[in-house]
Amino acid sequence: MFLNAVILILQEILEATLLISVLVVLTRLLQRLWPALLLRRRWVLAALGCGTAGAWLYAVFMPAIAEWFDYVGQDVVNALMQVVIILLLLLFSMLLRESFIARAPVLVSNLARLCIIIVVALVVTREGSEIILYVDGILGQPENITPVMLGGLMAAGIGLSSGVFLYFGLTTLRAKIAMRAALLLLALFAGNMAAQVVLLLTQADWLPYTAELWDSSGWLPEYSISGQLLYALIGYEATPSLLQASAYILAMLLIIVSPLFRKAWQYSEA
Amino acid sequence: MKRIVGLLCCLLPALPGVAAVPEIEIRIRDHLFFPAELEVPADTKIRLVVINEDATPEEFESYELNREKVIPGKAKAVIFIGPLKQGEYPFFGEFYPKTAQGKVFAK
């Protein structure tokens, strides 16, 4: 039970911690690229706070939401949250450009910060609600409480370390490489969200089935450790459908052609 | 809002090809799946109705089927799978994986 709890809770936490690390690195570098920008690190606490509250609310209303739309309500609502995340990331990438920042630095900073706060809050809401439901179920089983609590603590430790590891891994790189890595990870994250929307709506039968594009479960199964890590970081799928892959690539491209990406890609500290 | 959507959903079977989705029920009781092994026609979309009779939530998950859904306690969920090629597709309950295990056989 302990190991099960560690794996389960870690899976949920990892996506959030890795995203937060990437965004912290990105905002720090963007701060150096555009000194007029005010993207302080305090947004993380606000995001985590809102996310935790959201997770609790979502968990409480889950039984009711699950019945919507003929018992696929949960998939639809999760997909909606992912869509909002993608739109906010696109807004973030279109907002941060020379001309806007020069004209209204405070407004742009606040909007950009709001975007990433809501994005992180939504991710934490979605992942956190599953953890809350799981733990809530366990609380009714006295023999499982200790292993699950310890498992949760261990998962939190591993998740946190992974985030810290990624953060320091990125910041030790030269500024130009770190910026490019962070930008690419952001694009991949957007792609990941888009692919998940397609998967959720296919599960709910709101989107049609499309053929499997490839099957890489032979050399990197999803349930392996590397597979799980890659899934949390960039949404790796062993058997993605055509629609999933297309959505992934489309979202990724939208971020890559954005003003933020194109400008920040050229960043270097001489 | 729910009633309007519900009404629209009732009209869905009128669309060609939508009416004939086979439905299969799986129950979760004492962290076990009943039935643990299901046979479904291959190359057909299937409407899986998972009924969680336990008071605790369970997460229906399958890497092979590419499906994942948390089902709250004493609740019902619908998961569409397929069309599946012929073969075996294991699934499990992620919250209680030691006992909650099953397989879908597409024939």
Side-chain angles (χ1 to χ4, degrees), chain A residues 35-66:
Chain A
L37 213 53
L38 308 152
L39 290 172
R40 292 174 317 232
R41 249 167 294 174
R42 245 184 285 161
W43 64 266
V44 178
L45 285 173
L48 287 175
C50 295
T52 309
W56 186 81
L57 272 169
Y58 195 30
V60 165
F61 287 105
M62 187 70 84
I65 293 172

Side-chain angles (χ1 to χ4, degrees), chain A residues 17-270:
Chain A
T17 53
L18 296 177
L19 172 67
I20 293 174
S21 290
V22 172
L23 287 175
V24 169
V25 173
L26 188 60
T27 52
R28 277 193 66 178
L29 289 168
L30 291 176
Q31 186 69 64
R32 282 193 255 168
L33 170 61
W34 289 308
L37 213 53
L38 308 152
L39 290 172
R40 292 174 317 232
R41 249 167 294 174
R42 245 184 285 161
W43 64 266
V44 178
L45 285 173
L48 287 175
C50 295
T52 309
W56 186 81
L57 272 169
Y58 195 30
V60 165
F61 287 105
M62 187 70 84
I65 293 172
E67 292 185 8
W68 293 357
F69 306 113
D70 199 21
Y71 299 100
V72 294
Q74 200 184 322
D75 298 323
V76 172
V77 171
N78 280 344
L80 183 66
M81 288 199 272
Q82 313 283 56
V83 168
V84 171
I85 289 175
I86 297 170
L87 291 175
L88 286 171
L89 288 177
L90 285 174
L91 179 62
F92 181 80
S93 348
M94 292 195 295
L95 202 59
L96 292 172
R97 58 179 99 174
E98 254 353 281
S99 48
F100 288 1
I101 296 173
R103 245 181 286 162
V106 178
L107 180 63
V108 170
S109 304
N110 286 337
L111 280 174
R113 192 168 37 232
L114 196 62
C115 283
I116 55 180
I117 286 178
I118 300 178
V119 165
V120 173
L122 284 173
V123 171
V124 173
T125 294
R126 200 176 16 101
E127 313 283 5
S129 64
E130 289 191 16
I131 297 176
I132 291 176
L133 282 171
Y134 171 61
V135 174
D136 185 55
I138 296 290
L139 287 178
Q141 303 159 351
E143 73 277 14
N144 281 330
I145 294 182
T146 310
V148 169
M149 289 307 167
L150 290 175
L153 274 171
M154 171 146 252
I158 299 175
L160 202 68
S161 325
S162 308
V164 169
F165 185 73
L166 180 63
Y167 173 81
F168 283 110
L170 285 172
T171 51
T172 50
L173 300 168
R174 274 196 347 262
K176 179 170 168 177
I177 311 291
M179 178 71 93
R180 292 187 172 186
L183 288 170
L184 279 174
L185 284 170
L186 187 71
L188 290 169
F189 179 78
N192 182 9
M193 294 294 104
Q196 283 190 25
V197 171
V198 170
L199 189 59
L200 285 164
L201 294 180
T202 306
Q203 188 168 286
D205 203 28
W206 277 33
L207 282 176
Y209 163 83
T210 50
E212 192 181 278
L213 205 54
W214 72 68
D215 184 351
S216 52
S217 53
W219 52 269
L220 188 61
E222 264 175 65
Y223 47 80
S224 66
I225 298 187
S226 335
Q228 295 273 353
L229 206 63
L230 223 51
Y231 172 76
L233 193 59
I234 62 167
Y236 166 75
E237 288 269 350
T239 56
S241 73
L242 181 62
L243 202 55
Q244 255 182 290
S246 312
Y248 194 107
I249 292 174
L250 178 64
M252 223 176 90
L253 285 175
L254 284 174
I255 297 284
I256 289 176
V257 303
S258 69
L260 167 68
F261 197 100
R262 282 181 291 139
K263 173 72 189 193
W265 187 260
Q266 307 303 330
Y267 175 67
S268 71
E269 279 169 3

Side-chain angles (χ1 to χ4, degrees), chain B residues 39-106:
Chain B
E39 218 176 87
V40 303
D43 305 315
T44 320
K45 187 160 62 179
I46 310 282
R47 185 175 192 262
L48 265 183
V49 181
V50 188
I51 301 174
N52 189 359
E53 293 178 1
D54 287 339
T56 55
E58 180 62 273
E59 181 168 8
F60 178 95
E61 184 159 350
S62 167
Y63 293 110
E64 286 79 1
L65 291 169
N66 232 349
R67 295 288 181 264
E68 191 183 337
K69 189 155 177 175
V70 174
I71 308 161
K74 301 283 185 207
K76 178 170 133 180
V78 163
I79 302 171
F80 284 84
I81 60 174
L84 301 168
K85 292 191 284 236
Q86 274 194 16
E88 280 178 27
Y89 300 84
F91 58 86
F92 59 98
E94 199 175 9
F95 288 6
Y96 303 94
K98 285 213 192 79
T99 55
Q101 294 196 22
K103 256 191 211 160
V104 172
F105 293 92

